[in-house]
């Protein structure tokens, strides 16, 4: 087997030598104009190859630049996610306080709550409306099921225990709900 490989290698070497010799003799018989034409053709091929490489490199760089801009934009939109997520229990507490106070919460506290809610909405926070909607496992976390008499409420959210929130159209907290059975 090794002898066959050696024979193949020797044959290849002889073929390369013969091709080189025939090319050298062919070049010696070419006129200067023919040689210039061949050289010109070779240079045109090299230019085309370099142009192609340049265009591909430029497109790759352009795609990289666009991807970087998009990633930076996404990062900036969600950079405040942790802070806003930490404030969600405070919003829940305000809502519970409002429900449990007989005369409603004092006007000053209501103003502070509305102002805080307005600032959070400006930063991209949006409450999820769940009650009465079809149950969606991507948006809701079912805490329990409740038998309902109305057939239209089966498979729908009957009550929202904890409001879900979006931050710039991305869910940062799923709504905890009761589903009609």
């Amino acid at each position: 087997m090794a002898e066959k490989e050696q024979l193949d290698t020797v044959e290849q070497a002889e073929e390369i030598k013969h091709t080189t010799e025939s090319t050298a003799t062919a070049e010696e018989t070419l006129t200067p104009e023919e040689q210039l034409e061949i050289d010109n053709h070779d240079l045109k091929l090299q230019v085309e190859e370099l142009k192609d490489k340049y265009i591909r490199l430029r497109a790759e760089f352009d795609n990289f630049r666009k991807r970087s801009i998009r990633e930076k934009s996404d990062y900036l939109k969600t950079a405040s996610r942790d802070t806003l997520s930490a404030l969600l229990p405070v919003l829940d507490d305000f809502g519970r306080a409002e429900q449990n106070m007989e005369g409603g919460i004092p006007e000053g506290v209501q103003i502070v709550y509305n102002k805080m809610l307005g600032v959070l909405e400006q930063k991209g926070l949006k409450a999820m409306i769940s009650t009465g909607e079809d149950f969606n496992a991507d948006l809701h976390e079912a805490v329990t099921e409740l038998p309902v008499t109305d057939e239209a409420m089966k498979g729908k959210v009957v009550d929202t225990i904890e409001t879900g929130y979006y931050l710039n159209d991305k869910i940062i907290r799923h709504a905890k709900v009761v589903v009609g059975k």
Side-chain angles (χ1 to χ4, degrees):
M1 185 78 168
E3 291 176 17
K4 185 176 192 273
E5 288 176 6
Q6 287 177 347
L7 284 175
D8 288 342
T9 309
V10 170
E11 288 174 4
Q12 288 174 352
E14 287 178 7
E15 187 177 318
I16 292 171
K17 183 179 175 185
H18 178 30
T19 306
T20 308
E21 288 174 358
S22 63
T23 306
T25 56
E27 287 179 3
E28 292 171 2
T29 60
L30 293 177
T31 64
E33 292 83 21
E34 291 172 334
Q35 186 61 40
L36 283 175
E37 196 172 310
I38 291 172
D39 291 345
N40 189 24
H41 178 71
D42 289 344
L43 289 174
K44 283 181 181 179
L45 290 175
Q46 286 178 353
V47 167
E48 287 301 317
E49 183 181 332
L50 290 173
K51 275 185 186 178
D52 184 55
K53 284 182 181 180
Y54 171 75
I55 290 170
R56 289 178 189 276
L57 185 63
R58 175 89 188 233
E60 188 176 320
F61 178 74
D62 211 29
N63 290 339
F64 169 77
R65 186 179 53 80
K66 288 175 185 176
R67 186 175 54 250
S68 296
I69 290 170
R70 185 175 50 250
E71 287 173 356
K72 184 177 179 182
S73 174
D74 289 346
Y75 176 74
L76 290 175
K77 284 182 180 179
T78 58
S80 59
R81 180 182 181 145
D82 293 338
T83 303
L84 294 179
S85 293
L87 288 173
L88 295 181
V90 176
L91 290 177
D92 294 338
D93 291 343
F94 268 115
R96 284 189 281 275
E98 189 173 31
Q99 289 176 352
N100 293 330
M101 304 259 319
E102 294 172 9
I105 57 176
E107 186 179 342
V109 175
Q110 183 68 43
I111 290 171
V112 170
Y113 172 69
N114 290 338
K115 191 172 188 176
M116 184 172 101
L117 194 58
V119 168
L120 294 175
E121 286 174 353
Q122 286 176 353
K123 298 297 179 189
L125 187 71
K126 181 178 158 190
M128 189 184 295
I129 299 172
S130 300
T131 305
E133 299 290 320
D134 289 332
F135 176 74
N136 182 344
D138 293 333
L139 304 175
H140 308 117
E141 181 181 329
V143 175
T144 187
E145 289 184 332
L146 184 69
V148 291
T149 55
D150 186 8
E151 289 292 322
M153 289 304 289
K154 286 188 177 182
K156 292 194 183 265
V157 175
V158 178
D159 188 25
T160 303
I161 296 172
E162 189 175 80
T163 305
Y165 288 94
Y166 297 101
L167 177 60
N168 297 318
D169 298 325
K170 290 186 180 181
I171 297 173
I172 62 169
R173 185 171 82 182
H174 292 81
K176 293 184 181 176
V177 298
V178 176
V179 180
K181 180 179 179 182

